[in-house]
Amino acid sequence: MSRPVITLWSDSQFYSPYVMSVYVALQEKGLHFSVKTVDLDRGEHLQDSWKGYVQTRRVPLLEVDAFELSESSAITEYLDERFAPPQWERLYPHDLEKRARARQVQAWLRSDLMPIREERPTSVIFGGAKLPPLSQTAQASAAKLFSTAGALLADGKPNLFGEWCIADADLALMINRLMLHGDDVPERLADYAAFQWQRASVQRFAALSAARAG
């Protein structure tokens, strides 16, 4: 069987947390892929000449041969089924309930905690941006993050479900929006996020942002 041609479309600054999630997934699977960028600030994603226009007009966009797919959690689930164990590494837990919980965590991080996302954008993580103190609304959102993440990590293990899964990268990024800006984060969650951030696949994505800025 010939090797599939895989392309990941990213924002040009490599700031998207959702692009990071897919990039990490591809790295963890050990798949060969190329990266292309679209300039969101210039509205290139809204031009009908762009590959992703007929999907959701957002990044990430994944191309696998002639198949195109957008929305990061849909992409990571597709990758885990298309390139399944045992030949490829697993992105989601094998256990049914844990796998469902991992998807719950991903959906929650993408649909909630908006004040954190607004007041601590990923330019804090990848561009070193320094912003005003959190508003009361964002502080309440942070408290919710800490409470929920603390319950998920109550067993003190370095990963959410024993073995690493893609939801670990997503949760660590949300915590790092605060921690890497210098906001107060509970020590146990800070240790968890720092541990996850050292993973090779995550560091490779961070290097893309750093190279772009340089």
Side-chain angles (χ1 to χ4, degrees):
M1 181 182 296
S2 61
R3 184 172 69 179
V5 178
I6 303 175
T7 303
L8 171 63
W9 285 88
S10 169
D11 61 297
S12 58
Q13 292 178 301
F14 297 103
Y15 277 6
S16 168
Y18 312 118
V19 170
M20 190 196 88
S21 188
V22 175
Y23 183 94
V24 167
L26 289 163
Q27 288 281 340
E28 294 289 340
K29 285 288 185 184
L31 295 167
H32 177 80
F33 65 100
S34 61
V35 177
K36 294 183 179 180
T37 62
V38 58
D39 193 325
L40 305 185
D41 292 337
R42 295 175 57 186
E44 290 180 357
H45 59 304
L46 302 177
Q47 299 175 12
D48 60 11
S49 58
W50 180 53
K51 286 271 190 178
Y53 184 84
V54 296
Q55 302 302 326
T56 57
R57 306 178 193 180
R58 303 201 295 182
V59 294
L61 176 75
L62 185 75
E63 295 180 73
V64 180
D65 294 329
F67 179 65
E68 299 166 1
L69 184 65
S70 65
E71 302 304 314
S72 59
S73 58
I75 294 172
T76 55
E77 290 181 30
Y78 164 75
L79 288 172
D80 216 28
E81 294 179 9
R82 170 74 185 268
F83 304 99
Q87 184 175 354
W88 286 279
E89 294 297 319
R90 189 181 300 278
L91 298 177
Y92 291 89
H94 178 267
D95 177 80
L96 178 63
E97 281 74 26
K98 290 180 179 179
R99 188 161 68 250
R101 187 72 70 200
R103 289 168 172 163
Q104 173 192 306
V105 170
Q106 286 189 298
W108 171 57
L109 293 171
R110 286 157 172 74
S111 62
D112 199 358
L113 309 173
M114 182 58 75
I116 297 176
R117 288 186 277 156
E118 289 179 341
E119 298 186 27
R120 294 295 181 264
T122 52
S123 57
V124 164
I125 298 174
F126 301 119
K130 294 300 178 184
L131 301 171
L134 294 172
S135 66
Q136 288 187 343
T137 302
Q139 289 178 37
S141 192
K144 181 179 183 180
L145 169 64
F146 299 154
S147 175
T148 305
L152 287 166
L153 295 163
D155 60 8
K157 294 179 180 178
N159 300 307
L160 283 168
F161 306 109
E163 296 295 324
W164 179 90
C165 76
I166 191 64
D168 283 301
D170 292 340
L171 179 57
L173 184 141
M174 183 61 77
I175 296 170
N176 274 335
R177 289 176 185 267
L178 300 165
M179 188 177 76
L180 295 182
H181 186 266
D183 299 301
D184 290 335
V185 173
E187 183 177 2
R188 183 158 58 92
L189 297 185
D191 289 345
Y192 163 81
F195 175 77
Q196 296 296 330
W197 215 247
Q198 292 307 308
R199 199 166 181 89
S201 56
V202 176
Q203 285 295 300
R204 290 187 187 110
F205 182 81
L208 293 177
S209 297
R212 189 74 174 185

